[in-house]
Amino acid sequence: MQAPERHPAFWRVCARRILARRCPQCGQGPLFRSRFRLLDRCRNCGLLYRREPGAELGSMTLVSVVTELFAGALFVAVWLLTDWGAGLALLISVPTTLVFCYASQPWCMAAWVGIDYL
């Protein structure tokens, strides 16, 4: 069975809801109980956010890929745009990458809920 085609406006509405960290289906219910704790389902429409055991594996993979891309871009920027030595480059780059990983985790979790919904 093939999934029904959806209008392009549907994709934009869903993306806006996810960026607002709201339910992709109704846009009303929050996605998170706290910063890193995804709710089980929407409080408004009842949409199940994690439909099966291990559903968070996708968001873990997504945050890993996003963080690795950021770290790679940071490495290239430091290498090309500065004349820092290896020690200073690591002293700046490693904490910056860790902060980025911490900050992007909820967004990647929200994005994965949206991907799973779509």
Side-chain angles (χ1 to χ4, degrees):
M1 185 169 148
Q2 189 175 4
E5 285 211 26
R6 296 193 168 136
H7 194 272
F10 172 81
W11 300 93
R12 286 190 297 274
V13 168
C14 185
R16 277 196 304 270
R17 289 173 177 171
I18 290 299
L19 288 174
R21 298 194 314 186
R22 295 285 180 191
C23 173
Q25 182 167 283
C26 69
Q28 299 299 312
L31 284 176
F32 295 92
R33 180 177 313 142
S34 63
R35 181 164 175 83
F36 296 108
R37 303 271 310 176
L38 189 66
L39 290 167
D40 292 329
R41 60 180 58 243
C42 177
R43 294 177 182 162
N44 187 53
C45 69
L47 176 70
L48 195 60
Y49 295 145
R50 290 187 178 160
R51 298 186 296 169
E52 58 191 32
E56 67 277 353
L57 184 61
S59 67
M60 290 170 45
T61 303
L62 186 60
V63 78
S64 295
V65 168
V66 168
T67 301
E68 288 174 20
L69 290 172
F70 175 80
L74 184 62
F75 170 77
V76 169
V78 166
W79 183 51
L80 293 177
L81 303 176
T82 69
D83 58 351
W84 296 343
L88 181 59
L90 285 173
L91 189 65
I92 301 294
S93 299
V94 170
T96 303
T97 301
L98 291 174
V99 167
F100 177 83
C101 181
Y102 178 79
S104 66
Q105 177 69 30
W107 297 106
C108 290
M109 290 172 71
W112 190 255
V113 169
I115 290 167
D116 191 37
Y117 174 72
L118 293 173

